[in-house]
Amino acid sequence: MKLERQVTTMAVTSEHTVLKGTHSIGFSSLIEAIKTRYTRHRVYRQTVNELSALSNRELADLGLHRSMIRRIAMQAAEDYTAH
C-alpha cells in the first residue's frame, strides 16, 4: 500500500493604510505630523487675517496686492514649520 502526502499552500495578504505625508514609523511620528500640520494652519490663518486687515494702500506700500495674500500666507506657514 502506497501513502500519498497532500501539500496545501496558503497565501496571506495584508493592507496597511498610512496617512498622506507621514511614514509608518510609529505613533510618535503621527503625533508630530499632526502638531506640524496644526501649527502650519495656525500660522497661515494668522497671516491671512493680519494681511487682510490692511487697506489696499497699506498693502501697496509693502509691495503687495490683495490677490497675493493666500500665497504669501502659505509660504510663511511652510517657512515657519520647516526645520
Side-chain angles (χ1 to χ4, degrees), residues 15-19:
E15 252 181 72
H16 298 282
T17 303
V18 179
L19 294 177

Side-chain angles (χ1 to χ4, degrees), residues 17-26 29-34 37:
T17 303
V18 179
L19 294 177
K20 183 178 178 184
T22 62
H23 303 286
S24 58
I25 296 173
S29 65
L30 175 64
I31 296 299
E32 202 58 42
I34 291 170
R37 193 169 176 141

Side-chain angles (χ1 to χ4, degrees), residues 46-78:
Q46 182 179 357
T47 305
V48 167
N49 291 339
E50 290 178 9
L51 290 176
S52 295
L54 298 175
S55 69
N56 288 338
R57 170 133 185 162
E58 292 169 321
L59 287 171
D61 288 345
L62 295 172
L64 305 176
H65 187 269
R66 195 160 296 280
S67 64
M68 301 167 68
I69 291 175
R70 289 185 189 163
R71 183 172 42 90
I72 291 169
M74 184 62 70
Q75 185 64 46
E78 289 174 8

